[in-house]
Amino acid sequence: MIQNIPLIGSIILAINIIISFIGFNNVQFFDKYRFEINGTRKGEYYRLLTSAFLHVNTTHLLFNMVTFYFFVAIVVTALGPIPLLLLYLGSLLTGNLFALAFHHNQLNYIAVGASGAVTGVLFSALLLYPGIELMLFFIPLPIPGYIFGIGYMIYTLYGMQAQNDNIGHTAHFGGAIGGIVMTILFEFEVIYTSQLMLGILSVTTLLAGVLL
């Protein structure tokens, strides 16, 4: 479905694309601004922000930006452009801060990508519109938002515990929390209208503490 994208969304897309393509063609630039535990522990805290505008390759970039494209207008319509920008950056930082805390002793851990920020926007949309249905590429049927939320968080918790792939599950989890918290701050009524989704988050957060 083709939809109009708000100006703030276009700006975020453009910044991601430009910085990612610079990184594709400049290894020194990529290494300097990627997220890495060792560099961050040395005080290079800018990596917590800059790494989220870099991507491994065009497929990685495309997946994140397409997901962002489908949900940014929904969130902007409900909250406005400035709250969307703050939510995007807040989810980005909570995702990377959670990754930093979780992988603190893994000095060789590195990551890039907007997944944490995009996950925050996605979960904000799920909170703002609890009746929303999603279509996934590999499942040709609409999925209720709360079912997707349950599946996503379970998969993310499993990935965090298993650590057997190259997906930044910790950034996804932290980004989801950031997106939900900031949505509540901007639109407090969601605690009444989206109790199921908030319940899912509470349970999965508790499970994360117990299991991890």
Side-chain angles (χ1 to χ4, degrees):
M1 179 181 64
I2 298 175
Q3 61 184 20
N4 293 325
I5 183 168
L7 177 60
I8 187 63
S10 298
I11 293 172
I12 291 172
L13 279 170
I15 293 173
N16 273 278
I17 292 169
I18 291 169
I19 294 179
S20 291
F21 271 88
I22 293 174
F24 294 159
N25 296 287
N26 188 325
V27 175
Q28 289 76 24
F29 180 88
F30 185 90
D31 290 347
K32 180 177 181 179
Y33 294 109
R34 70 188 182 184
F35 174 83
E36 58 177 54
I37 298 296
N38 193 36
T40 307
R41 286 181 59 172
K42 290 179 180 178
E44 298 170 353
Y45 298 114
Y46 63 85
R47 294 177 182 272
L48 295 170
L49 176 66
T50 58
S51 61
F53 295 95
L54 291 168
H55 290 81
V56 174
N57 51 40
T58 52
T59 301
H60 185 207
L61 174 64
L62 183 64
F63 184 83
N64 276 335
M65 294 303 98
V66 167
T67 304
F68 176 73
Y69 167 80
F70 280 118
F71 292 98
V72 62
I74 296 175
V75 178
V76 169
T77 299
L79 301 180
I82 299 303
L84 178 277
L85 176 61
L86 295 175
L87 186 146
Y88 185 92
L89 294 175
S91 300
L92 179 163
L93 290 173
T94 55
N96 279 342
L97 286 170
F98 188 81
L100 177 63
F102 188 85
H103 300 286
H104 187 69
N105 293 319
Q106 298 172 246
L107 296 183
N108 62 340
Y109 182 85
I110 61 174
V112 294
S115 300
V118 172
T119 302
V121 173
L122 167 59
F123 270 80
S124 177
L126 293 178
L127 271 187
L128 292 166
Y129 299 94
I132 195 173
E133 294 184 332
L134 301 119
M135 293 286 291
L136 303 180
F137 294 116
F138 48 87
I139 302 177
L141 295 173
I143 301 173
Y146 69 92
I147 296 295
F148 175 85
I150 293 172
Y152 187 93
M153 297 305 274
I154 290 174
Y155 171 68
T156 299
L157 286 174
Y158 168 78
M160 288 166 57
Q161 187 175 48
Q163 297 190 53
N164 58 2
D165 54 33
N166 292 320
I167 299 174
H169 296 287
T170 47
H172 295 181
F173 188 81
I177 293 175
I180 289 175
V181 169
M182 295 198 71
T183 301
I184 293 172
L185 292 177
F186 290 129
E187 189 65 39
F188 191 72
E189 288 186 0
V190 297
I191 66 170
Y192 305 111
T193 59
S194 299
Q195 293 180 349
L196 180 60
M197 188 60 64
L198 288 172
I200 291 168
L201 177 69
S202 299
V203 171
T204 52
T205 303
L206 178 62
L207 284 174
V210 172
L211 297 176
L212 304 174

